[in-house]
Each structure stands twice: as C-alpha cells, then as structure tokens.
Amino acid sequence: CIAAVPEREDARDAFVSETFASFAELPQGARLGTASLRRQAQALALRPDLQIEMLRGNVDTRLRKLAEGEFDAILLAVSGLNRLGFEDVIRERLSLDAFLPAPGQGALALETREGESAAWVAALNHPMTALAVAAERGAMTALEGSCRTAIGAHAEIGEGHLRLTTEMLAPDGSVRWRRAGGLGDVHAAEAHRQ
C-alpha cells in the first residue's frame, strides 16, 4: 500500500539544450527528444514544426545523447534532475500553462506491505501533497488515462481550497482540451478521499 507521500518536488517539465536557452528559441524543424506522449503532444500543440524523436534510457543516457548531438533539445522532469543533482543542465523550467505535468509528477510514494506501515513512514507523509496527488490520479482514472494517452493533471492547494487542472491532447497536438476548477474545501476533499 502507499503508506506516505512526502512533500512534492517541483512538478514542472525541464527544457534541456546544449545550444538553446528556451523552448521558444528552438529553430524551425528542431529535433526535440522525449519518451512522453504527453510532452510530445504539448510541444506539438505549441510548435507543430518540431521534429519529435523518441528518447529512451536513464537520465545519464539521455543527457549523453543530447551532448552527442542526437537532439537539439530534450524534455525531462525538473524533479528528477533536481534529485539526481543535475539541476545545472536545466535551461528553462516550462510553465504549467504550456506543459501541464503528468498526474503525480514530482511526488514520491512510499510503499509498505498492507498493515505493516510503521509510524515513522506515516510521519513522512505530507497531507496536502497526498491530497493533490490523489486528485490528479483520480482525474487520470476518470479520463481513462494510460501510458498511451496524452493527459496532464495538476492540483494546487491554497487558502483552504483545492484547484485541479486537467487536459487531454491528441498525440499530434492538434486537439487540446483543458478544464480547470475548484474542488471545494480541502478538509471535505480529504474526508471524501478517506
């Protein structure tokens, strides 16, 4: 079971390039590497001229492929780069408006065997992050999302209220549906989640 969800890291996507300082600076027809259908669709929604190319491997492998010139730029999660000590390669932290993250992006889930979660694991739980991630995962379920769908979801909690933004995209970025709205009082949402 998921015993705890610690406080979330930065949920944004990172633009990484050896040559260009930002996504907007990419030239016509630039080669953009990503393994994420969501990132591909979001990039093409903004820039249909880009050549999206599959980028696989761990972070070291992906950064090596970029350095060797296989891509003009790549997209990765800011949180993963931060956790691995690669924050210096980030050229731009992409806005949540342009690149809504994957549900749960930037969050960790600590798993234990059912019924065996120790109190110290529960002490690592960050209730507001856990609630936000639960809302995002709920949206993914409601939208029947999978690794073969381009779906973003991000929940923010402020002033006692939870606001959830979701989006679905066609893989080529030609269709982009987005919905944002408040889910009401945080305490009521937390009671409903349990």
Side-chain angles (χ1 to χ4, degrees):
C1 69
I2 296 177
V5 179
E7 189 168 3
R8 185 189 296 228
E9 241 277 15
D10 192 329
R12 291 176 291 177
D13 286 323
F15 173 84
V16 182
S17 177
E18 297 278 317
T19 309
F20 304 101
S22 69
F23 181 80
E25 281 188 18
L26 285 173
Q28 185 87 4
R31 295 166 299 141
L32 182 66
T34 181
S36 164
L37 183 60
R38 173 190 58 83
R39 290 180 181 129
Q40 168 189 309
Q42 290 169 332
L44 289 173
L46 298 170
R47 294 279 308 274
D49 64 286
L50 295 176
Q51 299 302 310
I52 306 296
E53 298 183 12
M54 186 57 63
L55 173 61
R56 297 225 183 263
N58 62 30
V59 172
D60 288 321
T61 300
R62 293 175 189 215
L63 292 174
R64 179 182 47 77
K65 289 179 178 182
L66 175 67
E68 290 173 353
E70 292 186 35
F71 307 97
D72 295 306
I74 62 175
L75 300 178
L76 298 169
V78 169
S79 59
L81 292 169
N82 286 347
R83 287 184 180 118
L84 293 170
F86 289 123
E87 56 275 348
D88 58 320
V89 303
I90 299 171
R91 299 296 295 266
E92 179 184 19
R93 286 166 176 79
L94 298 168
S95 77
L96 294 175
D97 287 334
F99 287 85
L100 197 66
Q105 184 165 306
L108 298 175
L110 304 179
E111 287 188 359
T112 63
R113 286 184 284 203
E114 189 75 45
E116 294 188 17
S117 59
W120 67 269
V121 176
L124 298 173
N125 192 57
H126 186 257
M128 294 301 101
T129 298
L131 181 60
V133 169
E136 294 164 15
R137 291 181 65 188
M140 181 76 144
T141 299
L143 295 171
E144 299 179 4
S146 71
C147 60
R148 293 180 296 280
T149 55
I151 293 177
H154 188 254
E156 296 176 292
I157 298 173
E159 298 179 14
H161 287 81
L162 187 141
R163 179 177 174 77
L164 177 66
T165 304
T166 58
E167 75 176 1
M168 294 180 66
L169 301 97
D172 65 359
S174 62
V175 177
R176 189 173 198 170
W177 173 87
R178 183 177 277 219
R179 180 96 186 209
L183 295 181
D185 180 69
V186 169
H187 300 295
E190 178 64 22
H192 179 69
R193 183 174 77 91
Q194 297 174 357

